Amino acid sequence: MIDTHCHLDDPVYEADFDTVLAAQQAAGVERILVPGVDADNAQAVLDVCRRSHGYLLPAIGLHPENIHADWQDQLDRLHQLLTIPQAPYIAIGEIGLDYHADLTYKEEQKQAFITQLEWAQEQDLPVMIHCREATQDCLDLLRHTMLKKPLHGVMHCFSGSNEVARQIVDMGLYLGIGGVITFKNCLLREHLGNIPIERIVLETDAPYMTPVPYRGKRNESRFIQYVIEALSTVYGLPTDEIDRITSQNARCLFRLKDEK
Ligand SMILES: [Zn+2]
């Protein structure tokens, strides 16, 4: 199991961080990727990754919900961190568009998204994309950026329609599937039916999006086993096959070396 999106720098893990980490390793979680959300949390992300001795891998980015009046200053600070020699980042993320709560900075969200997609192209890094209630703009900006240069990445926490899934996969991107697929009455199980399992990576988005049967509790990477079980039903494949293929997808997308 590889958790491609987990906010282990969140304060909810502070008190028992080492215990939490040991529990993930004991449960067979191979690697955990920790996205950044702004310049202020970038150090916290690096700190938890260092503390894990390479078990956690850091990404860096400005989350669309964190785009406010200081967004350009945030981008400047992030770009400095990204471009220091031997920067440890394995991806740019999470970045994207979020029109759910607040449209004040809609145009700035788009500009920041394009800028960070271009960073990914310059640095030859994959992207972790957050897209909420902004599908058309998100796909348009991705397509536009890809006209100039290829781009690799994952649409994190995907829960959209089959048609949108198809478009994302056709662009060469992966779908990040997490706890949502275990929720009762979730249409995602039907929507994934004809999407190749080779285009799916697993994630928690912990501490959020906890799968059934732990819904409502603090999420952990090891609960990905419930996502694997749901995908096993969708694809009619044994759970260890789902685990093997999706782990290989994550290693490929994020160029993770030491395979198990
Ligand atoms: Zn996230």
Side-chain angles (χ1 to χ4, degrees):
M1 286 184 271
I2 296 177
D3 185 354
T4 61
H5 194 113
C6 179
H7 298 278
L8 269 179
D9 60 304
D10 193 288
V12 298
Y13 300 107
E14 212 172 292
D16 58 347
F17 182 79
D18 292 328
T19 313
V20 168
L21 221 57
Q24 312 318 307
Q25 283 175 310
V29 178
E30 182 182 317
R31 276 310 196 30
I32 302 173
L33 278 51
V34 185
V37 297
D38 60 25
D40 301 314
N41 102 310
Q43 191 57 49
V45 169
L46 283 183
D47 286 346
V48 292
C49 291
R50 284 199 187 114
R51 202 167 152 189
S52 76
H53 306 288
Y55 181 55
L56 310 185
L57 299 166
I60 184 167
L62 182 56
H63 191 293
E65 282 183 312
N66 292 351
I67 290 178
H68 308 295
D70 69 337
W71 68 283
Q72 278 175 313
D73 174 58
Q74 286 276 339
L75 284 183
D76 288 345
R77 289 164 62 198
L78 289 167
H79 193 252
Q80 264 177 22
L81 292 169
L82 175 65
T83 51
I84 56 166
Q86 257 121 58
Y89 304 105
I90 55 142
I92 306 288
E94 54 185 294
I95 63 174
L97 302 174
D98 193 321
Y99 298 165
H100 177 71
D102 186 5
L103 292 175
T104 315
Y105 293 101
K106 188 175 172 183
E107 286 311 308
E108 290 82 355
Q109 283 194 28
K110 288 191 204 173
Q111 286 180 47
F113 187 33
I114 294 169
T115 299
Q116 294 178 95
L117 290 174
E118 288 170 354
W119 291 355
Q121 291 175 320
E122 284 160 22
Q123 304 287 326
D124 193 22
L125 288 172
V127 288
M128 299 166 165
I129 304 157
H130 170 109
C131 173
R132 185 154 59 150
E133 293 173 27
T135 306
Q136 198 54 56
D137 280 355
C138 197
L139 294 182
D140 286 348
L141 293 183
L142 282 164
R143 277 199 193 94
H144 182 76
T145 311
M146 284 180 177
L147 287 176
K148 295 172 220 156
K149 218 175 171 188
L151 191 63
H152 306 284
V154 54
M155 193 63 81
H156 134 73
C157 199
F158 181 76
S159 64
S161 67
N162 176 257
E163 193 197 331
V164 173
R166 194 77 257 169
Q167 290 185 54
I168 292 165
V169 166
D170 286 347
M171 293 166 81
L173 300 171
Y174 288 81
L175 301 174
I177 302 297
V180 172
I181 198 165
T182 69
F183 296 174
K184 205 180 160 208
N185 301 328
C186 172
L187 290 172
L188 186 58
R189 290 187 291 269
E190 290 157 42
H191 293 163
L192 286 181
N194 61 353
I195 301 296
I197 184 75
E198 283 74 20
R199 304 310 298 177
I200 287 174
V201 295
L202 307 184
E203 63 166 59
T204 52
D205 203 15
Y208 317 106
M209 312 304 279
T210 312
V212 176
Y214 291 104
R215 206 172 170 183
K217 301 216 169 71
R218 181 181 75 171
N219 203 355
E220 294 179 29
S221 300
R222 61 197 169 102
F223 298 155
I224 272 182
Q225 82 175 81
Y226 299 104
V227 177
I228 291 178
E229 281 169 20
L231 286 170
S232 162
T233 308
V234 169
Y235 285 97
L237 289 169
T239 50
D240 55 352
E241 262 305 274
I242 299 287
D243 183 4
R244 188 185 66 77
I245 297 168
T246 55
S247 297
Q248 187 53 35
N249 298 344
R251 287 187 211 108
C252 177
L253 173 60
F254 295 103
R255 298 177 200 148
L256 307 178
K257 287 192 187 86
D258 33 337
E259 295 182 19
K260 285 195 176 168

